[in-house]
Amino acid sequence: MSKKNETFSRPKERDSVSLLGTSALLFEAAGAFDLASQRRIWALADTFQQWDGVKEAIPGMTNLMLTFSTPPEDPERYKGLVLQAWEKAQSWDIEGKTVEIPVVYGGELGPHLHDAAQLTGLTIDEVVAIHSGQSYSVFALGAHPGLGYLGITDERIWVPRREVPVLSVPAGSVSIGGMQTAVSASAGASGWHTLGHTDTEFFFPHQDNPTLLAPGDSVTFRVERIIK
């Protein structure tokens, strides 16, 4: 693993399970951030969803949260069962859908495209070409409803999070941070570098299936325009 990879992945040294209040557990996987580990997280979530007493199994980035219908009588027992299940978990290659997202890079709604170019030593055109030149896997949904964490971004455009977060970016903001990229499903604060914007909608609160993206989906970005 390169030093740059170590900087952005920050792998945990050991698997761990911790209590979240009285009705939830958080499992965190050790090792590097990669798709193979995330596929095991998806499989683990599917397994836990079948357990008696489990209300919801929510996959995150190299972690998984379990919520219970009622507080478990013996949470320490559940901790052991979770770790045992992780040891047995197999990779689950979900055959999700492919979503193409048109993006206008730069301009007022892509204010950090120049910053990304400066941080990586690339030209603006090179940053855009690299960002839009690959397919991304949806690792998990989080931060706010409909936002998909997409990875893994080409190492040439890995950038650290911003030292000073932006208080609000609009829905549809296409951003990069560390090894990941994402599109904001609603307006809110962000510590990532916003490269551009899309008019695609990602969250539909009144529908039975309220999010455009789901874990296992593939995402591609199509360049509509570059504003320098």
Side-chain angles (χ1 to χ4, degrees), residues 17 51 58 105 114 133 169 199:
V17 183
W51 284 13
I58 306 169
Y105 287 88
H114 284 267
V169 299
D199 290 330

Side-chain angles (χ1 to χ4, degrees), residues 16-28:
S16 65
V17 183
S18 55
L19 291 172
L20 297 175
T22 60
S23 299
L25 293 175
L26 178 67
F27 166 74
E28 297 179 273

Side-chain angles (χ1 to χ4, degrees), residues 154-172:
D154 188 298
E155 186 173 354
R156 290 173 292 174
I157 56 170
W158 287 0
V159 293
R161 292 170 181 262
R162 297 186 64 80
E163 292 185 6
V164 179
V166 178
L167 294 180
S168 182
V169 299

Side-chain angles (χ1 to χ4, degrees), residues 25 51 73-84:
L25 293 175
W51 284 13
E73 294 182 1
D74 188 355
E76 292 300 323
R77 174 176 173 272
Y78 268 101
K79 286 184 180 182
L81 291 174
V82 167
L83 292 172
Q84 290 174 23

Side-chain angles (χ1 to χ4, degrees), residues 99-103 105 150 174 183 197-200 202 212-213 219-223:
V99 179
E100 183 184 73
I101 300 173
V103 180
Y105 287 88
L150 314 177
V174 179
V183 185
H197 185 270
T198 182
D199 290 330
T200 302
F202 295 86
L212 175 63
L213 302 179
V219 172
T220 59
F221 295 104
R222 172 169 54 83
V223 182

Side-chain angles (χ1 to χ4, degrees), residues 128-201:
V128 172
I130 293 169
H131 184 260
S132 62
Q134 69 172 88
S135 176
Y136 298 87
S137 294
V138 180
F139 277 58
L141 300 182
H144 60 258
L147 181 142
Y149 289 108
L150 314 177
I152 294 175
T153 307
D154 188 298
E155 186 173 354
R156 290 173 292 174
I157 56 170
W158 287 0
V159 293
R161 292 170 181 262
R162 297 186 64 80
E163 292 185 6
V164 179
V166 178
L167 294 180
S168 182
V169 299
S173 294
V174 179
S175 305
I176 56 175
M179 303 165 69
Q180 301 170 67
T181 187
V183 185
S184 299
S186 60
S190 173
W192 292 18
H193 297 265
T194 300
L195 303 184
H197 185 270
T198 182
D199 290 330
T200 302
E201 295 185 24

